[in-house]
Amino acid sequence: MPAKNTVHNSAENDIEEEGTAPENEIDSPEDDIDEVIIDEGNELESDETPSILEMDGKHEDDIGKKINQLRLAKGYSQRKLARMAGVTNTSISAIERNKVSPAVNTLKAILLVLGSDLTTFFSDEWKEPKARVVVTPKDLIELSEPSSRVSLKQVYNCSTTKNLGFLIETYQPNSSTEEKIAHEGEEIGTVIEGKVLIRIEETTYLLNEGDSYVIDTIKPHTFINPTDGVTRIVSAHTPTTY
Protein backbone atom coordinates (compact mmCIF):
# COMPACT_ATOMS: atom_id res chain seq x y z
CA MET A 1 0.00 0.00 0.00
CA PRO A 2 1.45 3.44 -0.90
CA ALA A 3 2.71 5.55 1.98
CA LYS A 4 0.52 8.46 2.99
CA ASN A 5 1.85 12.01 3.09
CA THR A 6 0.29 14.72 5.23
CA VAL A 7 -0.87 17.55 2.94
CA HIS A 8 -1.51 21.10 4.13
CA ASN A 9 -3.65 23.35 1.94
CA SER A 10 -3.58 27.15 1.87
CA ALA A 11 -6.38 27.31 4.44
CA GLU A 12 -4.17 25.34 6.89
CA ASN A 13 -6.57 22.35 6.85
CA ASP A 14 -4.86 18.98 7.02
CA ILE A 15 -5.95 16.34 4.52
CA GLU A 16 -4.60 12.93 3.69
CA GLU A 17 -3.41 12.35 0.14
CA GLU A 18 -2.27 9.01 -1.24
CA GLY A 19 0.15 8.63 -4.07
CA THR A 20 3.69 8.80 -5.13
CA ALA A 21 5.48 11.66 -6.81
CA PRO A 22 5.73 11.66 -10.60
CA GLU A 23 8.89 10.34 -12.07
CA ASN A 24 11.92 12.59 -11.76
CA GLU A 25 12.06 14.90 -14.75
CA ILE A 26 15.26 16.94 -14.41
CA ASP A 27 18.95 16.31 -15.06
CA SER A 28 18.62 12.86 -16.60
CA PRO A 29 22.13 11.65 -17.45
CA GLU A 30 20.85 9.93 -20.61
CA ASP A 31 19.93 13.30 -22.09
CA ASP A 32 23.49 14.65 -22.01
CA ILE A 33 24.61 12.99 -25.23
CA ASP A 34 27.22 15.53 -26.26
CA GLU A 35 28.52 16.40 -22.81
CA VAL A 36 32.10 15.92 -21.69
CA ILE A 37 32.25 13.62 -18.67
CA ILE A 38 35.36 13.85 -16.51
CA ASP A 39 36.58 11.13 -14.16
CA GLU A 40 34.98 11.50 -10.72
CA GLY A 41 38.34 11.42 -9.00
CA ASN A 42 38.59 15.22 -9.28
CA GLU A 43 37.72 17.05 -6.06
CA LEU A 44 38.52 20.28 -4.27
CA GLU A 45 41.76 19.97 -2.35
CA SER A 46 44.15 17.06 -1.91
CA ASP A 47 47.52 16.56 -0.29
CA GLU A 48 49.13 15.80 -3.64
CA THR A 49 47.59 18.55 -5.78
CA PRO A 50 48.26 22.22 -5.01
CA SER A 51 45.39 24.67 -5.05
CA ILE A 52 45.24 27.60 -7.43
CA LEU A 53 45.94 30.00 -4.56
CA GLU A 54 49.11 28.14 -3.67
CA MET A 55 50.26 28.73 -7.23
CA ASP A 56 49.10 32.32 -7.59
CA GLY A 57 47.21 34.04 -4.79
CA LYS A 58 46.26 37.18 -6.74
CA HIS A 59 43.30 35.45 -8.41
CA GLU A 60 41.50 34.53 -5.20
CA ASP A 61 38.55 36.91 -5.62
CA ASP A 62 38.09 36.16 -9.34
CA ILE A 63 37.87 32.37 -9.48
CA GLY A 64 34.35 31.86 -8.19
CA LYS A 65 32.99 34.87 -10.04
CA LYS A 66 34.46 33.77 -13.37
CA ILE A 67 33.28 30.17 -13.03
CA ASN A 68 29.79 31.42 -12.24
CA GLN A 69 29.83 33.62 -15.35
CA LEU A 70 31.06 30.79 -17.59
CA ARG A 71 28.51 28.35 -16.18
CA LEU A 72 25.56 30.67 -16.68
CA ALA A 73 26.77 31.55 -20.17
CA LYS A 74 26.54 27.82 -20.93
CA GLY A 75 23.10 27.63 -19.33
CA TYR A 76 24.22 24.94 -16.87
CA SER A 77 22.88 24.47 -13.36
CA GLN A 78 25.42 23.80 -10.62
CA ARG A 79 24.25 20.18 -10.46
CA LYS A 80 24.80 19.70 -14.18
CA LEU A 81 28.28 21.25 -14.12
CA ALA A 82 29.22 19.18 -11.07
CA ARG A 83 28.10 15.94 -12.71
CA MET A 84 29.94 16.69 -15.96
CA ALA A 85 33.17 17.71 -14.18
CA GLY A 86 33.12 14.78 -11.77
CA VAL A 87 32.80 16.80 -8.55
CA THR A 88 30.00 17.35 -6.07
CA ASN A 89 27.33 20.04 -6.29
CA THR A 90 28.52 21.28 -2.88
CA SER A 91 32.02 21.75 -4.30
CA ILE A 92 30.80 23.88 -7.21
CA SER A 93 28.68 26.00 -4.87
CA ALA A 94 31.60 26.56 -2.49
CA ILE A 95 34.01 27.42 -5.33
CA GLU A 96 31.63 29.92 -6.93
CA ARG A 97 31.18 31.66 -3.57
CA ASN A 98 34.97 31.70 -3.02
CA LYS A 99 34.56 29.65 0.16
CA VAL A 100 37.28 27.24 -1.00
CA SER A 101 40.03 27.25 -3.58
CA PRO A 102 39.90 24.38 -6.12
CA ALA A 103 42.86 22.12 -6.74
CA VAL A 104 44.51 22.70 -10.12
CA ASN A 105 43.20 19.42 -11.55
CA THR A 106 39.69 20.22 -10.37
CA LEU A 107 39.74 23.66 -11.99
CA LYS A 108 41.06 22.14 -15.23
CA ALA A 109 38.19 19.65 -15.27
CA ILE A 110 35.62 22.38 -14.64
CA LEU A 111 37.07 24.66 -17.32
CA LEU A 112 37.15 21.82 -19.85
CA VAL A 113 33.40 21.35 -19.40
CA LEU A 114 32.89 25.11 -19.72
CA GLY A 115 34.95 25.37 -22.91
CA SER A 116 37.91 27.22 -21.39
CA ASP A 117 41.41 26.54 -20.06
CA LEU A 118 43.77 27.85 -17.38
CA THR A 119 45.62 30.20 -19.74
CA THR A 120 42.48 31.93 -20.92
CA PHE A 121 40.90 31.87 -17.49
CA PHE A 122 43.77 33.76 -15.86
CA SER A 123 44.53 35.99 -18.84
CA ASP A 124 44.71 39.75 -18.33
CA GLU A 125 42.47 39.99 -21.38
CA TRP A 126 39.52 38.57 -19.44
CA LYS A 127 36.63 41.00 -19.79
CA GLU A 128 33.78 41.04 -17.30
CA PRO A 129 30.37 41.31 -19.02
CA LYS A 130 28.43 44.50 -18.45
CA ALA A 131 25.39 44.17 -16.21
CA ARG A 132 22.02 44.73 -17.91
CA VAL A 133 19.04 46.57 -16.49
CA VAL A 134 16.49 44.93 -18.82
CA VAL A 135 16.48 41.16 -19.34
CA THR A 136 14.40 40.09 -22.34
CA PRO A 137 12.84 36.63 -22.80
CA LYS A 138 15.65 35.58 -25.14
CA ASP A 139 18.20 36.47 -22.44
CA LEU A 140 16.67 34.12 -19.86
CA ILE A 141 18.85 31.10 -19.07
CA GLU A 142 17.15 27.70 -19.13
CA LEU A 143 18.57 25.57 -16.33
CA SER A 144 16.61 22.40 -17.11
CA GLU A 145 17.51 19.75 -19.64
CA PRO A 146 15.91 20.12 -23.11
CA SER A 147 13.91 16.92 -22.57
CA SER A 148 12.58 17.99 -19.17
CA ARG A 149 8.91 18.80 -18.68
CA VAL A 150 9.82 21.36 -16.02
CA SER A 151 11.27 24.66 -17.26
CA LEU A 152 13.41 26.72 -14.88
CA LYS A 153 14.39 30.01 -16.55
CA GLN A 154 16.84 32.16 -14.64
CA VAL A 155 16.72 35.95 -14.92
CA TYR A 156 20.42 36.72 -15.34
CA ASN A 157 21.72 40.22 -16.08
CA CYS A 158 25.46 39.41 -15.99
CA SER A 159 25.94 41.16 -12.63
CA THR A 160 28.69 39.70 -10.45
CA THR A 161 27.57 41.48 -7.29
CA LYS A 162 23.86 40.60 -7.08
CA ASN A 163 22.68 38.74 -3.98
CA LEU A 164 19.34 37.50 -5.23
CA GLY A 165 18.44 34.93 -7.90
CA PHE A 166 15.08 34.87 -9.69
CA LEU A 167 13.41 31.99 -11.57
CA ILE A 168 10.40 31.75 -13.88
CA GLU A 169 9.16 28.17 -13.54
CA THR A 170 6.74 26.25 -15.76
CA TYR A 171 5.52 22.74 -14.88
CA GLN A 172 3.83 20.71 -17.57
CA PRO A 173 0.88 18.50 -16.51
CA ASN A 174 1.85 15.73 -14.06
CA SER A 175 5.52 16.70 -13.92
CA SER A 176 7.97 17.30 -11.09
CA THR A 177 11.45 18.52 -10.26
CA GLU A 178 14.06 15.93 -9.41
CA GLU A 179 13.45 14.11 -6.16
CA LYS A 180 14.57 15.70 -2.89
CA ILE A 181 16.64 18.69 -4.03
CA ALA A 182 18.73 20.28 -1.26
CA HIS A 183 20.99 23.31 -1.47
CA GLU A 184 22.15 26.08 0.83
CA GLY A 185 19.90 29.10 1.12
CA GLU A 186 16.33 30.32 1.26
CA GLU A 187 13.60 30.41 -1.39
CA ILE A 188 10.34 32.32 -1.66
CA GLY A 189 7.82 31.98 -4.47
CA THR A 190 4.25 32.50 -5.65
CA VAL A 191 2.00 30.26 -7.72
CA ILE A 192 0.68 32.45 -10.54
CA GLU A 193 -1.18 29.69 -12.38
CA GLY A 194 -2.40 26.19 -11.50
CA LYS A 195 -1.54 24.14 -8.42
CA VAL A 196 1.63 22.67 -6.99
CA LEU A 197 2.55 20.17 -4.30
CA ILE A 198 5.71 20.99 -2.36
CA ARG A 199 7.13 18.00 -0.52
CA ILE A 200 9.59 19.03 2.21
CA GLU A 201 11.13 16.01 3.90
CA GLU A 202 8.08 13.94 4.97
CA THR A 203 5.44 16.70 4.74
CA THR A 204 3.56 17.74 1.60
CA TYR A 205 1.88 21.12 1.11
CA LEU A 206 -0.76 21.93 -1.50
CA LEU A 207 -0.60 25.44 -2.98
CA ASN A 208 -3.27 26.93 -5.21
CA GLU A 209 -3.04 29.87 -7.58
CA GLY A 210 -2.13 33.00 -5.59
CA ASP A 211 -0.54 31.09 -2.70
CA SER A 212 3.09 31.74 -1.74
CA TYR A 213 5.75 29.73 0.06
CA VAL A 214 8.95 30.37 2.01
CA ILE A 215 11.30 27.44 2.51
CA ASP A 216 14.73 26.65 3.90
CA THR A 217 16.27 24.96 0.88
CA ILE A 218 18.77 22.96 2.90
CA LYS A 219 15.85 20.64 3.63
CA PRO A 220 15.24 18.09 0.82
CA HIS A 221 12.30 19.28 -1.27
CA THR A 222 10.40 18.38 -4.43
CA PHE A 223 7.93 20.41 -6.52
CA ILE A 224 5.11 18.44 -8.17
CA ASN A 225 2.35 19.47 -10.54
CA PRO A 226 -0.35 16.84 -9.84
CA THR A 227 -2.89 18.25 -12.31
CA ASP A 228 -3.70 17.94 -16.00
CA GLY A 229 -3.01 21.64 -16.51
CA VAL A 230 0.12 23.81 -16.61
CA THR A 231 1.48 25.28 -13.38
CA ARG A 232 3.54 28.49 -13.32
CA ILE A 233 5.60 29.84 -10.42
CA VAL A 234 7.88 32.83 -9.94
CA SER A 235 10.52 32.44 -7.23
CA ALA A 236 13.50 34.20 -5.70
CA HIS A 237 16.38 32.51 -3.93
CA THR A 238 19.60 33.18 -2.07
CA PRO A 239 22.44 32.70 -2.64
CA THR A 240 22.31 33.52 -6.35
CA THR A 241 24.13 30.31 -7.28
CA TYR A 242 21.85 27.40 -8.18
Side-chain angles (χ1 to χ4, degrees), residues 4-31:
K4 291 185 177 180
N5 296 296
T6 301
V7 179
H8 301 271
N9 63 20
S10 56
E12 308 257 343
N13 294 319
D14 291 344
I15 63 174
E16 290 292 320
E17 176 162 311
E18 279 197 28
T20 57
E23 186 177 353
N24 177 14
E25 297 289 347
I26 292 184
D27 274 346
S28 173
E30 291 79 12
D31 297 329

Side-chain angles (χ1 to χ4, degrees), residues 217-236:
T217 53
I218 199 65
K219 297 179 180 179
H221 54 283
T222 306
F223 285 70
I224 305 163
N225 175 7
T227 73
D228 293 329
V230 172
T231 293
R232 303 182 195 280
I233 298 173
V234 291
S235 66

Side-chain angles (χ1 to χ4, degrees), residues 90 97 180-187 200-201 215-221 238-239:
T90 302
R97 291 180 292 119
K180 297 181 179 179
I181 301 171
H183 53 91
E184 180 183 359
E186 182 180 19
E187 182 176 331
I200 304 174
E201 296 182 324
I215 61 175
D216 179 357
T217 53
I218 199 65
K219 297 179 180 179
H221 54 283
T238 60

Side-chain angles (χ1 to χ4, degrees), residues 67-147:
I67 290 176
N68 177 260
Q69 290 173 0
L70 289 172
R71 175 177 66 80
L72 291 175
K74 282 281 191 180
Y76 291 168
S77 66
Q78 287 186 343
R79 288 185 295 278
K80 182 173 181 177
L81 174 58
R83 175 163 45 81
M84 294 172 66
V87 299
T88 65
N89 180 43
T90 302
S91 298
I92 296 296
S93 177
I95 292 170
E96 288 194 358
R97 291 180 292 119
N98 289 313
K99 297 294 185 181
V100 298
S101 174
V104 176
N105 288 342
T106 300
L107 183 58
K108 284 181 178 179
I110 292 171
L111 293 179
L112 177 61
V113 172
L114 296 175
S116 186
D117 54 54
L118 291 176
T119 301
T120 304
F121 189 74
F122 290 116
S123 170
D124 292 334
E125 300 300 317
W126 177 279
K127 292 183 179 180
E128 193 171 296
K130 185 178 180 180
R132 297 189 292 261
V133 174
V134 177
V135 180
T136 65
K138 68 180 180 63
D139 296 322
L140 298 175
I141 296 177
E142 178 60 68
L143 298 180
S144 298
E145 298 294 338
S147 60

